[in-house]
Amino acid sequence: MTVDGRLVRGERARAAALDAAVVLATESGLDGLSFSQLADRLGVSKSGLFAHWRTKEELQLAAVGHAQRRFTDVVIRPALHEPRGLRRLWALHDYRLRDIFSGALPGGCFFCNAQFEYVARPGAVRDALTAALADWHVLLERLITEAIELGELRADVDPAQLSFELNAHGTAAVYESRLLDSDEILTYARTAALVRLRGLSPTPDLLPD
C-alpha cells in the first residue's frame, strides 16, 4: 500500500498547528485565538491554515479536541498504568499536577482557562468544553468507585463529592501557581489531596508520603 506523502505532510502540518493553537489559547485565551496569530507563531500564511479550518469556531473546536488528546496522552494513560484503586486515583491527580507545573502550557491548563473564559458564552465551543469537564468527572468518579469496591476507600465515600474536591485542588493550582509561588502551590495541591484521601482510606499506606 502506497502512502500519499502529501497527506502525511498535511497531517503533520495540521498537528503542529494544533499544538501551537493549544499553547496560544493558554496565553491569549481561546476566544483570542485567530488565524493571523497562529500563522505568525508558525511562520506560515493564513491561506495554509484555511485549508484545514474554514472558520475561527472550527479552529477553536479543533483545538479543544487536540487538547483532549494531549491530556489523555500526558495525564490519563500514564495514570491508568498504575494498579486499580487508590494508587490509580492518586496517580491521576499527580499526573495532572505534573502537567500543570511542567511549563508545557504557559497558562498551566488549557481546559481550566478555557472553561472559565466560556462559562457565560453559549455555543458550540462552550458545549465542547462542558462535555470535556463532564467526561473528566466521569473518569474520576469511576476510579473512586473502583477504590471503594476494592476496600481502599470507605464505603460511605460519595464519588461525586470526592471528584469535585480533587478537581477543585487541581483547578486552584492552575491559577494560583501563575500568580503566587509555584513551588508552594504545588506542595499545597499535593498535600490537600493526600490528606483528604488518607482520611477516607482504610489503607492510607498505599499513598506516598
Side-chain angles (χ1 to χ4, degrees):
M1 178 178 176
T2 302
V3 177
D4 190 327
R6 290 172 298 178
L7 290 177
V8 172
R9 288 191 295 273
E11 284 303 308
R12 286 176 180 166
R14 186 178 188 277
L18 288 174
D19 284 340
V22 169
V23 171
L24 282 167
T26 71
E27 293 176 347
S28 306
L30 187 56
D31 188 57
L33 181 63
S34 68
F35 286 103
S36 295
Q37 183 188 41
L38 186 56
D40 288 344
R41 177 63 61 94
L42 293 167
V44 301
S45 67
K46 285 198 297 183
S47 61
L49 298 176
F50 284 126
H52 299 291
W53 309 284
R54 293 170 297 175
T55 67
K56 178 178 176 177
E57 186 177 81
E58 285 185 4
L59 174 60
Q60 291 169 321
L61 290 171
V64 173
H66 195 69
Q68 286 180 291
R69 291 187 290 275
R70 177 195 174 278
F71 190 78
T72 297
D73 290 341
V74 174
V75 176
I76 296 176
R77 281 204 182 97
L80 293 182
H81 285 150
E82 297 298 320
R84 289 175 70 250
L86 191 60
R87 286 167 290 184
R88 184 175 293 180
L89 177 62
W90 166 253
L92 191 65
H93 181 70
D94 191 38
Y95 275 107
R96 184 189 183 196
L97 291 180
R98 292 188 202 185
D99 187 38
I100 291 167
F101 288 87
S102 69
L105 298 179
C109 175
F110 174 92
F111 289 103
C112 287
N113 289 297
Q115 284 157 358
F116 276 122
E117 184 183 357
Y118 276 82
V119 69
R121 298 184 185 186
V125 176
R126 183 182 185 277
D127 291 346
L129 293 167
T130 299
L133 179 58
D135 288 345
W136 172 240
H137 278 294
V138 167
L139 175 60
L140 277 169
E141 290 179 32
R142 191 189 91 201
L143 299 193
I144 292 165
T145 299
E146 288 177 356
I148 294 169
E149 292 171 348
L150 290 169
E152 295 176 3
L153 285 174
R154 292 197 323 242
D156 62 348
V157 169
D158 181 345
Q161 175 65 38
L162 184 54
S163 172
F164 174 85
E165 293 175 27
L166 291 175
N167 182 60
H169 296 322
T171 300
V174 172
Y175 73 86
E176 292 203 17
S177 65
R178 267 53 195 174
L179 300 172
L180 304 174
D181 185 286
S182 61
D183 290 336
E184 285 187 354
I185 300 304
L186 174 58
T187 299
Y188 296 153
R190 292 186 88 255
T191 301
L194 281 171
V195 169
R196 182 62 172 146
L197 291 174
R198 286 192 187 112
L200 295 173
S201 176
T203 55
D205 56 308
L206 292 174
L207 293 165
D209 295 331

